[in-house]
Amino acid sequence: MRPAPAPRVHLFVCANRREGSTLGPGCGDRGEALYAALKDEVARRGCIQDVWVTKTQCLGICPKRGATIARWPAAPPSPILADVEPGDAAALVDGAEPDAIEREIDALEELQRTKVLDLARRLKPGLTLEDIQNPHDFPELADPDWHYADGVLTGIQSVRSALRARRGT
Ligand code: FES
């Protein structure tokens, strides 16, 4: 198990289909339509990296209209929303886009990550981003300059996490 990159918001859209069940046909086509509307909205706003939209199976609500979605991270009033229609797509994506400060911090993080990786590769050619997440596996990374650069990266990531926590995204 290891930490992996995460979006600012991840929306899971039920597009489950079932036949001959007392629970009904599932979100099915309604879920597909909602999924398409959300993907269009995210693409239109240019925030594909920030807002991930994923189709999923039954989320346990099985509404008679619209579809069910689960939102991560959870946001009030509930992490699960039912009866969601394609017309709700804009509202679901609202507030999920980074503001100017967060975009600046994201750019700083990318710059610093590149610097940390470049330094690591000078010490041991061929290292990957995944490798440098486990620096103790590579004695070559016992270098004060590399550790300083890696510490700066951790600091930038901490600021970004604090900002996101403050915004609730
Ligand atoms: S089929 Fe969509 S929530 Fe159950």
Side-chain angles (χ1 to χ4, degrees):
M1 175 165 53
R2 67 180 173 85
R8 296 170 56 80
V9 172
H10 200 158
L11 299 170
F12 298 89
V13 182
C14 175
N16 185 48
R17 294 174 192 281
R18 66 167 81 82
E19 291 177 16
S21 168
T22 54
L23 296 173
C27 296
D29 289 342
R30 301 183 314 264
E32 294 283 353
L34 175 59
Y35 172 80
L38 284 165
K39 294 293 268 187
D40 286 350
E41 187 66 25
V42 167
R44 188 180 68 75
R45 296 187 194 207
C47 57
I48 289 171
Q49 291 183 333
D50 299 305
V51 182
W52 294 358
V53 183
T54 302
K55 269 189 254 183
T56 186
Q57 297 294 310
C58 181
L59 292 166
I61 307 297
C62 312
K64 287 194 168 56
R65 71 180 184 93
T68 304
I69 68 162
R71 184 187 191 276
W72 177 91
S78 170
I80 306 288
L81 298 171
D83 302 348
V84 185
E85 310 266 10
D88 298 321
L92 288 165
V93 177
D94 277 348
E97 300 156 283
D99 62 21
I101 292 173
E102 288 170 289
R103 284 191 194 282
E104 199 63 38
I105 290 172
D106 287 348
L108 278 174
E109 183 195 14
E110 186 56 39
L111 201 64
Q112 190 64 22
R113 184 183 296 114
T114 300
K115 184 176 179 180
V116 168
L117 184 59
D118 288 348
L119 273 173
R121 285 177 174 164
R122 271 192 237 156
L123 297 165
K124 181 173 174 55
L127 286 178
T128 66
L129 273 175
E130 189 174 336
D131 291 335
I132 63 174
Q133 288 176 359
N134 302 297
H136 300 298
D137 293 346
F138 303 96
E140 296 86 347
L141 294 181
D143 175 86
D145 290 337
W146 185 82
H147 277 284
Y148 176 77
D150 192 47
V152 170
L153 177 60
T154 302
I156 293 169
Q157 291 167 332
S158 297
V159 170
R160 191 191 54 200
S161 295
L163 276 175
R164 286 184 179 178
R166 191 180 161 98
R167 279 182 46 155
T169 58

